[in-house]
């Protein structure tokens, strides 16, 4: 509906409401150190989900991730296996489906990463039942708005944040990405 699109526009803000803007954000968000995985942005689709948009509890402002914890919203990348992406786009990212079987840094929650390279690992991480994804060259991930007023933060190899309620995250974009040779290497 028109009101759903207006809500989406308000949450995405003018800075992130076009595919070109999302591509630029994606490219700037990657760490480009030698030996680090590189990803290419292949395209993006807006995700206008009326239920998720209505349920999302936005804070009063959108900030850069480093100044948003406990006070504001930020945009983060969320990775998941390809077969989960349609559900994430139609149902939202839900705590009931949060993977509690993995050893998660901050416990069961909805996780988002500053760098899409971290989210790639969740798109393609090998599990016992799904080893076919280990060597994938393409994947989908989501760009989400996270309300970090009650969130948590961790940094090991990458910065990541977690929220612990369904109303603290909304999917705004489905992004298709491709794996490239690592930074500092050449392809043959």
């Amino acid at each position: 509906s028109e009101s759903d699109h207006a809500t989406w526009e308000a949450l995405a803000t003018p800075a992130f409401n076009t595919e070109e803007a999302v591509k630029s954000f994606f490219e700037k968000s990657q760490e480009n150190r030698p030996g680090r995985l590189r990803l290419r942005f292949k395209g993006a689709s807006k995700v206008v989900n009326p239920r998720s948009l209505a349920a999302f509890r936005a804070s009063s402002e959108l900030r850069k991730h480093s100044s948003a914890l406990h006070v504001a919203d930020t945009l983060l990348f969320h990775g998941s296996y390809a077969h989960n992406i349609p559900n994430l786009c139609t149902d939202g990212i839900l705590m009931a489906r949060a993977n509690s079987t993995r050893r998660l840094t901050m416990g069961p929650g909805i996780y988002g990463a500053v760098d899409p390279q971290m989210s790639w690992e969740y798109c393609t991480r090998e599990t016992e039942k799904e080893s076919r994804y280990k060597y994938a060259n393409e994947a989908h991930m989501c760009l989400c708005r996270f309300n970090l007023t009650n969130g948590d933060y961790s940094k090991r190899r990458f910065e990541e944040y977690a929220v612990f309620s369904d109303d603290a995250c909304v999917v705004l974009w489905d992004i298709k990405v491709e794996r490239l040779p690592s930074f500092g290497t050449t392809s043959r």
Side-chain angles (χ1 to χ4, degrees):
S1 77
E2 198 172 303
S3 68
D4 295 328
H5 285 278
T7 301
W8 186 94
E9 292 284 336
L11 291 174
T13 75
F16 301 100
N17 69 359
T18 66
E19 184 175 0
E20 213 37 56
V22 171
K23 179 180 180 182
S24 176
F25 179 72
F26 177 88
E27 291 170 350
K28 290 175 185 173
S29 296
Q30 288 190 74
E31 211 175 279
N32 60 358
R33 294 194 327 238
R36 190 68 86 167
L37 169 73
R38 279 189 315 158
L39 301 173
R40 175 185 296 147
F41 180 96
K42 301 270 295 198
S45 299
K46 288 182 181 180
V47 177
V48 182
N49 179 318
R51 283 180 306 200
S52 295
L53 291 168
F56 181 67
R57 183 181 38 82
S59 73
S60 59
E61 64 181 308
L62 181 67
R63 291 188 181 181
K64 184 176 165 67
H65 58 85
S66 59
S67 65
L69 189 60
H70 303 302
V71 295
D73 295 356
T74 197
L75 294 179
L76 300 169
F77 298 96
H78 178 84
S80 188
Y81 293 124
H83 65 269
N84 291 336
I85 297 297
N87 284 335
L88 299 180
C89 293
T90 58
D91 299 337
I93 303 173
L94 304 173
M95 282 296 299
R97 293 187 182 143
N99 191 342
S100 60
T101 60
R102 289 190 182 138
R103 298 175 79 201
L104 301 171
T105 310
M106 296 171 272
I110 300 169
Y111 282 67
V114 171
D115 190 325
Q117 296 163 343
M118 176 66 185
S119 295
W120 172 267
E121 292 184 16
Y122 288 92
C123 295
T124 58
R125 184 175 282 174
E126 181 181 34
T127 67
E128 292 175 21
K129 295 178 183 176
E130 301 172 72
S131 62
R132 66 185 178 273
Y133 294 106
K134 183 175 182 182
Y135 300 106
N137 287 324
E138 289 188 345
H140 285 257
M141 63 180 63
C142 301
L143 181 61
C144 306
R145 184 162 172 163
F146 278 74
N147 178 331
L148 296 178
T149 55
N150 292 310
D152 203 355
Y153 167 82
S154 174
K155 178 167 184 181
R156 290 200 258 183
R157 287 184 16 247
F158 293 98
E159 291 180 79
E160 66 181 337
Y161 294 81
V163 294
F164 308 100
S165 64
D166 295 342
D167 63 355
C169 177
V170 64
V171 178
L172 299 176
W173 290 93
D174 169 18
I175 303 172
K176 184 175 183 178
V177 299
E178 174 185 32
R179 180 184 180 154
L180 299 172
S182 298
F183 288 102
T185 63
T186 57
S187 60
R188 295 180 182 193

